[in-house]
Amino acid sequence: MITKCLFPVAGYGTRFLPATKAVPKEMLPIVDKPLIQYGVEEAIDAGISDIVFVTGRGKGAIENHFDRNYELEDQINGTDKEDYLTGIRDVMARCSFSYTRQIEMKGLGHAILKGKPLIGNEPFAVILADDLCYDQDQAVLAQMVELYKKHQCSIVAIEEVPMDQTQKYGVIAGDEIEDGLYKITDMVEKPNPEDAPSNLAIIGRYLLTPDIFEIIENTAPGKNNEIQITDALLTQAKGKGVLAYKFKGKRFDCGSMDGFVEATNFYYDTVYKS
């Protein structure tokens, strides 16, 4: 039912300068795989095969990563190093990749809207690669797809955060209708702690119904004069409804230095040593 996943990857990654001066932040490695590959693999685990990238200037390395490199492959052909490419070759064989550009940075809502011609009139997933999610039993997006089959509406992933960190996230309020599942009644983009409706923060996993595109088109710029997906989702919540899901698993904020190092240590100890 959900066959397409959109990745907004046009951002500059300024918190990782100078490393991201010439290398997209999504290509920074957690052990031996770039962040973006973890995200695509999570989409595959959720049954998705069509990958849509909303890119920007200087992001050519992402396209190259999901393509053949004939010179490299010729050099390592027949050696034990060829095994290192098994994972990415499998990803490439199981997915199709499409690209469009976000010429101006006008917020996450605007980035998602730029993907409309490649998504079409069908429900779709959105993954923010900065948020690296891990669950040994079922990927976070796969958990959400199971919920979508039942409820047929937009769903956002949430987790509890310390109240003094609400200004980093979109924050929801809602009525718990099942264990860990909330019907959203309010959403605020990056509120100060005293203004936050709860400590339930939206993280970078969304399942969206296609009517979200028209809503975004009619959403005025909000926080930081950007088109916020939070504002569009609040409009949708007041109409057909939006759910928030407290997912099972662990999430790393790889858009921050601390989270990136934590993720690297965790994956090295938990995944690669096991």
Side-chain angles (χ1 to χ4, degrees):
M1 297 174 64
I2 306 285
T3 64
K4 295 182 179 179
C5 184
L6 184 150
F7 287 82
V9 294
Y12 294 120
T14 53
R15 284 183 285 182
F16 282 87
L17 286 170
T20 50
K21 182 174 181 289
V23 178
K25 64 176 180 176
E26 297 83 8
M27 290 300 297
L28 295 177
I30 300 296
V31 189
D32 64 347
K33 284 193 298 192
L35 273 171
I36 193 66
Q37 185 174 333
Y38 286 97
V40 172
E41 289 174 346
E42 183 178 339
I44 291 172
D45 288 342
I48 291 170
S49 57
D50 296 336
I51 307 299
V52 174
F53 292 108
V54 179
T55 70
R57 290 180 294 278
K59 298 288 184 166
I62 295 174
E63 295 187 38
N64 292 338
H65 184 68
F66 296 103
D67 198 356
R68 297 289 301 272
N69 184 327
Y70 291 100
E71 293 82 1
L72 170 65
E73 293 177 39
D74 181 65
Q75 287 293 318
I76 65 175
N77 183 42
T79 72
D80 55 358
K81 293 180 180 178
E82 194 171 13
D83 292 341
Y84 297 152
L85 294 179
T86 299
I88 185 60
R89 283 173 170 171
D90 180 62
V91 167
M92 290 161 54
R94 297 174 65 181
C95 293
S96 64
F97 301 92
S98 304
Y99 303 86
T100 188
R101 281 208 173 195
Q102 183 185 20
I103 296 173
E104 297 180 86
M105 306 296 108
K106 294 183 178 180
L108 179 56
H110 178 260
I112 291 172
L113 183 60
K114 293 298 291 184
K116 179 181 178 180
L118 297 176
I119 297 294
N121 188 34
E122 60 184 275
F124 63 102
V126 176
I127 288 181
L128 307 186
D130 283 358
D131 281 336
L132 177 58
C133 296
Y134 174 83
D135 187 83
Q136 64 178 357
D137 297 320
Q138 187 180 35
V140 171
L141 198 62
Q143 297 171 37
M144 296 172 68
V145 167
E146 290 300 313
L147 287 172
Y148 181 83
K149 291 176 182 178
K150 178 180 178 181
H151 296 282
Q152 300 285 302
C153 67
S154 292
I155 305 171
V156 300
I158 56 171
E159 69 174 359
E160 294 187 41
V161 300
M163 285 300 298
D164 62 1
Q165 294 183 20
T166 58
Q167 71 277 7
K168 299 178 182 179
Y169 303 92
V171 178
I172 70 106
D175 301 318
E176 192 168 16
I177 58 174
E178 298 176 17
D179 184 28
L181 187 66
Y182 299 79
K183 184 173 183 179
I184 292 175
T185 57
D186 195 14
M187 306 175 77
V188 183
E189 179 65 21
K190 297 180 179 178
N192 293 323
E194 62 271 18
D195 300 321
S198 73
N199 70 330
L200 297 175
I202 303 169
I203 64 107
R205 299 294 184 276
Y206 305 78
L207 289 182
L208 302 176
T209 52
D211 56 305
I212 195 68
F213 290 126
E214 183 177 356
I215 296 172
I216 295 172
E217 289 172 339
N218 291 288
T219 298
K223 188 91 171 183
N224 300 325
N225 201 36
E226 296 178 336
I227 299 173
Q228 301 292 346
I229 189 62
T230 305
D231 295 338
L233 283 168
L234 180 57
T235 299
Q236 194 178 50
K238 292 177 178 178
K240 65 188 296 185
V242 176
L243 300 179
Y245 170 57
K246 192 184 292 185
F247 64 92
K248 298 177 179 66
K250 187 174 180 62
R251 168 232 172 208
F252 301 92
D253 177 11
C254 291
S256 70
M257 196 70 69
D258 289 345
F260 186 87
V261 173
E262 182 186 2
T264 300
N265 292 335
F266 175 86
Y267 271 78
Y268 181 71
D269 291 335
T270 304
V271 178
Y272 288 86
K273 280 188 174 181
S274 61

